[in-house]
Amino acid sequence: MRLRNKPWAPEEIANNPHLIIPNPADHKNKWKDYFNNDNPLYVEVGSGKGQFVTGMANQHPEINVIGIEKYDSVIISALELMQQLELPNVNMLKEDVQEITDFFGENEVDRLFINFTDPWPKNRHAKRRLTHEGFLKKYVEILKDGGEVHFKTDNRILFQYSLQSFSEFGFSLKNISLDLHEDGLEGNVMTEYEERFSRKGQPIYRLEAVWKR
């Protein structure tokens, strides 16, 4: 998908460091101090326009939520949402998920969310999939013992790949759904893509992967 250039976005992002946090590595191992509470920390990788992270934060004021999105032209929409909602428990990082271990310390994250990520269907691009072993190694560095990764996609092949990837890495799987909206999930927070796909009647695939040391 081609991203629309928004030349004014970098300045607007820089003007809102209380919402899109600059230099997040400065807060590694200190996110409880940043939020000034001991609440659980949830992180979404590839947050897009921010509908999920703001929805999660609004639904769960007892949880701190951070979204990671690297594109200015996308994260600016998340910034606008956060400005409108004025939620104290959600922030964004304009960073690459490849560097996630630079921003979060060992045992610092309670739950990770991966929603409607690029499937990278060609085999030669497998290492770019956010459920590839290379990314899972990073996730388990920052997850607490018993921490979880929640994954949703509309892509059946990516879902099958991810089931195998999580399982072979050593995660235990639970609450696997081959049609999330048919099965129903209490408190489900939808992304922009999820709303679009579900309106078309496409099944949404979902799993929860639990990491135990």
Side-chain angles (χ1 to χ4, degrees):
M1 180 179 68
R2 185 175 179 181
L3 299 177
R4 179 185 170 193
N5 185 36
K6 299 177 180 178
W8 46 271
E11 181 178 1
E12 183 68 12
I13 290 167
N15 288 337
N16 288 275
H18 61 297
L19 295 176
I20 301 181
I21 304 170
N23 306 314
D26 293 346
H27 303 289
K28 182 176 179 178
N29 292 311
K30 297 181 288 187
W31 287 106
K32 289 186 182 297
D33 295 335
Y34 179 86
F35 286 102
N36 196 30
N37 60 51
D38 291 323
N39 294 343
L41 178 61
Y42 288 6
V43 176
E44 184 193 23
V45 297
S47 293
K49 296 179 179 180
Q51 180 170 311
F52 180 83
V53 286
T54 54
M56 180 64 66
N58 190 45
Q59 189 174 116
H60 295 283
E62 76 284 1
I63 292 167
N64 301 322
V65 185
I66 294 177
I68 303 175
E69 173 58 54
K70 67 180 179 179
Y71 295 110
D72 288 355
S73 56
V74 179
I75 202 172
I76 193 68
S77 297
L79 173 59
E80 292 168 355
L81 259 181
M82 289 189 291
Q83 288 172 326
Q84 292 169 17
L85 296 172
E86 297 184 338
L87 299 169
N89 60 325
V90 61
N91 289 92
M92 295 282 290
L93 310 182
K94 194 185 80 63
E95 303 289 347
D96 193 325
V97 66
Q98 289 273 10
E99 315 301 328
I100 195 168
T101 54
D102 291 343
F103 315 134
F104 303 99
E106 292 183 13
N107 302 302
E108 194 166 25
V109 176
D110 294 86
R111 187 173 296 175
L112 282 165
F113 295 90
I114 308 171
N115 295 315
F116 301 91
T117 180
D118 191 327
W120 294 105
K122 295 181 180 178
N123 288 336
R124 68 175 184 270
H125 293 151
K127 290 184 178 180
R128 300 183 186 183
R129 298 169 190 160
L130 293 186
T131 54
H132 182 270
E133 177 187 9
F135 283 103
L136 300 188
K137 288 179 180 178
K138 298 176 187 290
Y139 303 155
V140 299
E141 283 189 42
I142 64 175
L143 278 173
K144 292 182 177 180
D145 187 29
E148 299 179 354
V149 181
H150 290 197
F151 175 68
K152 287 194 286 189
T153 182
D154 66 305
N155 188 291
R156 180 179 57 83
I157 295 174
L158 177 63
F159 189 69
Q160 292 171 333
Y161 168 88
S162 301
L163 284 169
Q164 182 174 349
S165 182
F166 279 116
S167 181
E168 290 181 349
F169 194 86
F171 283 85
S172 59
L173 303 177
K174 65 176 184 177
N175 296 328
I176 297 169
S177 175
L178 302 181
D179 193 338
L180 174 61
H181 292 210
E182 178 69 22
D183 295 341
L185 176 67
E186 184 177 352
N188 181 47
V189 178
M190 289 201 288
T191 74
E192 302 92 340
Y193 284 113
E194 185 173 355
E195 287 184 345
R196 185 187 310 168
F197 296 143
S198 62
R199 281 198 299 267
K200 294 179 179 179
Q202 294 178 235
I204 304 300
Y205 305 97
R206 182 182 183 274
L207 65 81
E208 297 174 10
V210 183
W211 178 249
K212 296 288 288 185
R213 288 182 173 81

